[in-house]
Amino acid sequence: MSYTVLVVEDEPTLLETLEYNLAHQGYNVRTATDGLKALETAREARPDIIILDIMLPGLDGLEVCRVLRHETNVPILLLTARADEVDKVVGLEVGADDYLTKPFSMRELLARVRAHLRRVRLMREELTATERAAPREHLVCGDLVIDLARREVRKSGQALRLSPKEFELLAFLAQHRGHVLSREQILDQVWGWSYAGGTRTVDVHVRSLREKIERDPANPERLVTVRGAGYRFEG
Ligand code: CA
């Protein structure tokens, strides 16, 4: 079965290049050139991944991402022209899974798409297996309860709104609680790719996750930084 990739970009040359390269990989490619069309196409075509430019006419990419996040778990890879936008992109309200800063290499973009789709496939297989196996798997870490099958997190009984990547990061950390995990390890296991410089993605997601699970995000007690080594989840 071939995967469907939705590419949202208003710049004709870049759109054409992306479309050509993705189709060459055997993906079924759909395109949109503005935000409203992007929402429409995402709902109708149900893509397996969305590559979404931030700067779009009308509704911008951040707004599109925010809306889609409420509707679907589809991986969203945002394209940003400004490095200082990155925190916002991954952060609380927008909830993108990943981002690339323009200009990016096509090889890197394709590698990321491949990695996200591999995870989509694994997750679907896991979900089917979980449904078959019936018993639900919970991780309890103090006042946090992580429901792995339903992908829900409760803190003192209150449901937390996590983006799909925040959830996966938290689940991975909680499954390895007490162990020091390097950024590279986290990147490899949670995102499925590793590139020099990609570890910043991990830091940005750790920051946004702390906003949701720590009493004081500036002085984390749960998800602690281990200087020079990485992160450790204390549970
Ligand atoms: Ca653009």
Side-chain angles (χ1 to χ4, degrees):
M1 194 199 84
S2 123
Y3 289 107
T4 300
V5 183
L6 170 60
V7 185
V8 188
E9 170 63 80
D10 60 323
E11 200 186 303
T13 322
L14 181 54
L15 180 62
E16 206 176 295
T17 311
L18 286 166
E19 195 178 2
Y20 172 83
N21 281 279
L22 288 161
H24 191 70
Q25 300 293 308
Y27 301 128
N28 187 357
V29 186
R30 300 288 303 264
T31 60
T33 51
D34 67 59
L36 283 177
K37 256 288 179 264
L39 286 179
E40 212 173 276
T41 314
R43 286 166 183 156
E44 174 254 319
R46 303 187 157 273
D48 299 291
I49 184 168
I50 301 176
I51 299 168
L52 179 60
D53 185 35
I54 291 183
M55 294 284 280
L56 293 170
L59 207 58
D60 73 12
L62 294 178
E63 203 51 52
V64 172
C65 188
R66 205 173 282 137
V67 173
L68 287 177
R69 216 10 114 218
H70 289 284
E71 302 178 6
T72 157
N73 273 341
V74 63
I76 301 176
L77 198 168
L78 277 173
L79 303 179
T80 163
R82 292 165 37 197
D84 62 354
E85 264 174 341
V86 165
D87 278 335
K88 200 162 62 173
V89 161
V90 172
L92 303 165
E93 351 90 273
V94 178
D97 296 85
D98 201 359
Y99 62 89
L100 275 173
T101 309
K102 290 179 177 180
F104 52 84
S105 87
M106 195 53 66
R107 210 170 133 242
E108 175 155 0
L109 178 122
L110 293 174
R112 301 262 189 111
V113 167
R114 218 164 20 243
H116 281 290
L117 290 174
R118 193 164 52 229
R119 290 194 60 79
V120 165
R121 183 169 51 79
L122 287 176
M123 222 138 60
R124 283 176 189 161
E125 285 169 3
E126 260 170 44
L127 213 60
T128 327
T130 322
E131 276 160 10
R132 257 190 268 116
R136 294 233 304 268
E137 220 189 314
H138 287 91
L139 291 172
V140 181
C141 310
D143 63 349
L144 279 185
V145 179
I146 305 165
D147 184 333
L148 295 173
R150 298 175 71 178
R151 299 174 64 86
E152 286 171 2
V153 181
R154 292 185 172 272
K155 184 167 181 263
S156 309
Q158 293 273 59
L160 293 184
R161 279 223 355 244
L162 301 188
S163 77
K165 266 297 171 274
E166 284 170 342
F167 176 84
E168 287 167 34
L169 174 63
L170 177 61
F172 178 68
L173 292 168
Q175 280 164 326
H176 297 85
R177 89 180 83 158
H179 295 276
V180 179
L181 299 163
S182 72
R183 291 172 170 79
E184 289 75 15
Q185 256 174 318
I186 297 172
L187 191 61
D188 184 53
Q189 292 297 311
V190 179
W191 275 265
W193 51 265
S194 45
Y195 272 96
T199 50
R200 179 156 157 65
T201 307
V202 176
D203 296 333
V204 176
H205 276 83
V206 162
R207 208 146 57 227
S208 67
L209 187 57
R210 278 175 176 158
E211 294 288 335
K212 300 183 182 177
I213 64 166
E214 297 285 355
R215 218 186 330 254
D216 175 8
N219 294 295
E221 296 169 333
R222 259 198 163 120
L223 207 179
V224 299
T225 303
V226 182
R227 295 244 166 270
Y231 295 105
R232 188 177 60 232
F233 192 70
E234 303 284 8

